[in-house]
Amino acid sequence: MRPYPLLDTINSPHDVKRMLPEQLPDLAQEMREAICEQVSKSGGHLAPNLGVVELTLALHYVFDFGFDRLLFDVGHQCYPHKLITGRFPQLESLRTTGGIAGFPEPRESAFDQFAVGHAGTGISTAIGMARGDQLNGEIDRKVVALVGDSSIVNGLSLEGLNNAGTLQRQMLVVLNDNGMSIGMPQGALAGYFDKVRIHPRFADLKSRAMDVLKKLPAGGALEQIYNRVGEMTKAALDHTHLFDHFGLLCIGPVDGHDLPTLIEMLEDVKKIDSPVLLHVKTQKGKGFEFSSDDPTTFHSPKPFVRHGCSAELITSGRSFTKAYADALIDVMNRDPKVVTVTAGMPHGTGLSDVVKAHPKRTMDVGIAESHAVDMSAGMAKAGMKPFVTIYSTFMQRGFDQIFQEVSLAGMPVRFCMDRAGVVGGDGAVHHGFLDIAMLRGFPGMSLLAAADEPSLKAALEFMRLRDEGPSAVRYPRDNVPEGIEDRECPPFRLGKAHQLAEGSDLAILAYGFPVNHALEARAKLAQEGLSVAVYDARFAKPVDIELLRELIEANVPIVTVEDHHTMGGFGACVLEACNENGLATQGIRRLGLPDRWIYQGARGDQLAEAGIDAAGIARTSREVLAKLRSPRLTGSSQAS
Ligand SMILES: Cc1ncc(C[n+]2csc(CCOP(=O)(O)OP(=O)(O)O)c2C)c(N)n1
């Protein structure tokens, strides 16, 4: 890292508090530089963090989060907070194996309350801590939730806000309004914030102060509040604000880059012992032209190189996301009934390309996964073929809708789950390791996985044609394998695996991307004289029971591999199907993600940790074969 003289002196927020207010802008500048320098090397969230530097400094300047509570929503904007809570020396390890996480992480610091990465949780957890502290008699602890303008309209946030007004104590919701989601914010409330943001109040707070003072109501709780806060805060009170009707005292919008105003207002607001919403206007990506001009590209960029005012992303191969977008465009070209929906992730899921080709049939509903699922169920009922394009980890928000409006109703909604499996730098909060377990119990559901680009295309075509019930395909946060022109890819047939390589000593049944590692493992094992067959399992529901019968009856040991929790995953589907069909299961060994959390790091490290990279698969295959060949065990442990 380059030298950062002021940041170097900050070991805790107390060091920030010791600084003179006029020194803070220089510290803010260094923080932006340090974040940008690091993200350019490691990738990570950039624009959201650059936008909250002053806001974070002001919050730590006024509150004492060693004692008070700071709850982040999403948490992708926590880098400035990490820098001043003792983690600047570890910044170079951001998002790496054993390093600091890109999201709040209580294992790292007592300044972080929850490990978060999913939107909408900040207000509810803040209310919970506020209530808990109150019940414990710790009423002096202040509670603050920091929430973005696109996350505050998430259903969970609104459930929290609906309850917040009932709190009989201090709680502050800081609304960080930068007018952006990852891309453009969606929906009516985004339009509402647009209007509030340009209200003249924001332009000239001080001159309004006198007007407001003249209109002070006499007596009651409001008067007490007015008596406690300064002129500027009085001027910024907004009784017409939407969230005022939720029982929160609403203040703002205020300029989130004006440190003196922010500090003054936070000092005031801190004294109010009822729920308050401070509406703060910030600029996403502030500080660098490239990120403020294009906060979507620089929301969470891959590593990049800076050239003066601009920056160039370092490209690295063709992603499954890109392959999916191209395949979906093709499906939509051929079938006018196909529509696709994203919940606030057009860029991450590739739908920003699809929308250009099919603007009317591509929909972004904002961060509203449950709604995306039910809206898709409604469209299916109306005769459309909805493809819900979603990250595996965020699918979890749609569980109950799949239960009732999709599965029970028999609606042929198609789920296309990106980022299935371990996700690398984003770490535990974003791994998609439960989708098979979550979906397999739904009657009528078919579960598919794609190993490469041709199989992703074939899976989508199968799903397009399947109207008998819901279906879901999973694919990873990875590049599609290259140089696979020789690999055959016949059309998907329900419940049928596809053999990719022959062998007689052992069969590897891999589900989805691990097929590629299985083939690599096979090549290693072949050098050792072992003959291993590799199958692309293609379906976890239903599994290929005929293939299993054939292998088990021929005494061929089986290793199943998946980038999913072994509990409830593909291997579990295999074991259960064998059991139901009277097939012996002793010869089956399952490989997958363990029953513990895997944290941030390179995806390759995470796969290796779980033993599902090529080396791990080869190791387990050797073990299985060695056990079978052991003279002591021969006969007794063979699959029979
Ligand atoms: C449940 C859920 N869905 C989707 C996402 C992906 N996501 C991460 S940040 C983000 C945008 C958040 O916008 P906002 O809260 O306004 O914060 P900003 O990035 O603008 O600072 C989205 C959609 C998520 N984290 N959680």
Side-chain angles (χ1 to χ4, degrees), residues 457-487:
K457 279 188 195 159
L460 293 190
E461 185 57 8
F462 173 89
M463 291 163 75
R464 180 180 79 81
L465 296 171
R466 185 161 175 80
D467 286 325
E468 287 75 19
S471 51
V473 63
R474 71 192 317 259
Y475 46 95
R477 177 174 205 164
D478 217 317
N479 285 336
V480 291
E482 287 175 357
I484 55 157
E485 294 74 21
D486 298 347
R487 217 183 261 183

Side-chain angles (χ1 to χ4, degrees), residues 15 32 45 49 65 83 97 138 143 218 225 318 343 372 391 422 424 433 440 445 471-472 485 489 549 602 618 621 631:
D15 297 323
R32 283 203 168 86
H45 287 97
N49 284 297
F65 292 116
L83 290 186
T97 310
E138 296 179 353
V143 178
I225 289 167
R318 178 171 169 80
Y391 286 7
V422 287
F433 69 107
R440 58 182 294 232
M445 178 71 74
S471 51
E485 294 74 21
C489 184
R549 178 171 288 115
S621 303

Side-chain angles (χ1 to χ4, degrees), residues 21-33:
E22 47 279 21
Q23 287 180 293
L24 294 180
D26 290 338
L27 177 61
Q29 178 60 22
E30 280 192 17
M31 289 165 73
R32 283 203 168 86
E33 284 291 346

